[in-house]
Amino acid sequence: MNSRRRALLLAALVLALLLAQRCLRSHHREELRLSDWFEPWKRPDVVTTTDWLAPVVWEGTFNRPVLEKFYRGRNLTVGLAVFAPGRFEDQPLQLFLRLADAHFMAGHRVIFYVMSDGLGQLPELQLGPLRSVCALELSQGHWGGDQHLRRMQSLGAHIVGRIAREVPFLFSVTADQQFRAHVGVEALGALVAQLHGWWYFRRTRNFPYERRPRAAAYIPFGQGDFYYDGALVGGTPQRLLDLVEAYLKGVVQDRGRGLNSTYERHLNKHFFLHKPTKLLSPEYGWDTTFNPPPQVHYVKVAQHPRRDW
């Protein structure tokens, strides 16, 4: 083998190794490590990591530029399913959409799935260029006035019917939420739970879990991690579908035994058994009838008063 041929073979080998390394680096970049963006030491005043090592996202704990660069490279679309019984023309829904358009996943493609009673005319809104609204009809089952059952059954049906094919991440909210500050890609995860603003600052033993042993949502005294708010949940469509199915199964089981638990207690039981991969701080869901404590730097999502714990 002459020297020229050996040099060409060596150059080809080096090129192949460089290409292989580039492919490996590219593949590695497909998965963002927690240490690449999460900075829990910046908030020593709050719980930032769970016992199962899931991040608790507070303002100041995440590197926004790193997250934005990563998710913009993936060119993703995020779904936001809003439960809004009534008509599309109702003022609260229009306010919700305007605020969500301004603050939810700004700069990214978003599909607002509006689950309402009638497929009438959509509100005339000037949404951003990456935003769209999709009207979805609520199920008309016999729920006995239980809007949580109606919401979850409808959400599950629409995840199967279309949502799972359109978005890799989905959040479910009620129309009485108001986005007031940026809620961005720091909130994305496989299964995202919202810490309850009131109960985060209370002792675990006082959490209003379901305590009746025969109930499907039962959590024994001395167990449990956090108390989660049902106003906002997120994750992949499949993980949310798992939540819906577990909730509906639990309701059916309870009714067969003459029992009845709240939606939030079923939600907390599901997160007790299936730990969320990311938790959002009370900043992402604060009841504005209470002044926020010092730990809540920004109220990103404001809640209307609710007393159905």
Side-chain angles (χ1 to χ4, degrees):
M1 181 180 296
N2 58 42
S3 59
R4 179 179 174 78
R5 187 178 180 184
R6 284 199 299 269
L8 290 173
L9 288 174
L10 180 59
L13 178 60
V14 170
L15 180 60
L17 288 173
L18 289 173
L19 289 173
Q21 291 174 356
R22 181 177 296 179
C23 290
L24 287 173
R25 287 196 299 269
S26 176
H27 176 73
H28 179 69
R29 284 197 298 268
E30 290 180 1
E31 295 299 331
L32 193 64
R33 296 173 302 180
L34 188 62
S35 59
D36 291 335
W37 66 271
F38 190 52
E39 302 169 339
W41 60 88
K42 292 186 176 181
R43 290 296 305 270
D45 56 324
V46 292
V47 175
T48 55
T49 307
T50 68
D51 293 341
W52 59 95
L53 303 182
V56 183
V57 179
W58 296 80
E59 185 65 28
T61 61
F62 54 91
N63 188 318
R64 192 185 304 278
V66 169
L67 288 167
E68 287 291 342
K69 182 179 179 181
F70 174 75
Y71 283 108
R72 287 188 190 280
R74 297 183 68 179
N75 198 28
L76 81 164
T77 302
V78 181
L80 182 65
V82 53
F83 176 69
R87 302 176 304 162
F88 288 124
E89 296 82 2
D90 290 346
Q91 186 65 27
L93 175 58
Q94 296 190 42
L95 176 61
F96 172 89
L97 290 173
R98 283 199 298 270
L99 293 174
D101 179 48
H103 299 298
F104 180 75
M105 302 291 163
H108 296 272
R109 285 200 306 271
V110 174
I111 302 175
F112 298 110
Y113 296 104
V114 180
M115 298 190 298
S116 191
D117 285 306
L119 298 179
Q121 184 177 358
L122 289 170
E124 294 184 5
L125 296 171
Q126 295 295 325
L127 299 180
L130 300 177
R131 327 299 242 189
S132 61
V133 179
C134 175
L136 301 175
E137 192 167 11
L138 282 169
S139 299
Q140 301 297 324
H142 300 286
W143 308 118
D146 192 326
Q147 295 293 344
H148 293 301
L149 264 173
R150 195 176 183 214
R151 170 191 176 189
M152 296 299 278
Q153 197 279 334
S154 299
L155 179 63
H158 291 305
I159 288 175
V160 173
R162 65 176 297 170
I163 293 176
R165 300 191 302 272
E166 297 179 341
V167 296
F169 295 103
L170 174 67
F171 287 84
S172 174
V173 297
T174 53
D176 60 353
Q177 313 298 298
Q178 292 184 0
F179 289 89
R180 293 189 174 180
H182 184 65
V183 176
V185 292
E186 78 278 358
L188 297 178
L191 184 61
V192 182
Q194 166 69 58
L195 288 176
H196 198 293
W198 175 265
W199 291 106
Y200 171 80
F201 299 99
R202 299 295 183 271
R203 295 180 181 274
T204 305
R205 65 173 179 268
N206 296 328
F207 288 166
Y209 295 138
E210 175 58 74
R211 299 300 190 181
R212 294 171 294 180
R214 295 179 66 246
Y218 170 62
I219 296 178
F221 282 99
Q223 298 187 35
D225 308 299
F226 301 95
Y227 194 75
Y228 302 104
D229 196 318
L232 186 150
V233 293
T236 65
Q238 181 58 56
R239 297 297 292 272
L240 286 188
L241 184 60
D242 293 341
L243 168 61
V244 169
E245 292 176 344
Y247 168 66
L248 296 178
K249 181 180 178 181
V251 170
V252 170
Q253 176 182 317
D254 280 350
R255 290 189 173 183
R257 297 176 177 177
L259 300 171
N260 185 30
S261 291
T262 65
Y263 158 69
E264 254 178 15
R265 287 174 176 173
H266 283 286
L267 178 82
N268 275 270
K269 177 60 177 286
H270 185 76
F271 285 142
F272 174 67
L273 297 176
H274 307 277
K275 306 299 186 188
T277 61
K278 182 176 286 184
L279 284 69
L280 301 181
S281 75
E283 297 166 324
Y284 293 82
W286 186 258
D287 186 338
T288 52
T289 57
F290 301 100
N291 292 324
Q295 295 92 329
V296 177
H297 292 181
Y298 299 96
V299 176
K300 297 173 181 285
V301 183
Q303 295 181 351
H304 287 225
R306 295 180 303 111
R307 293 293 181 271
D308 57 355
W309 305 327

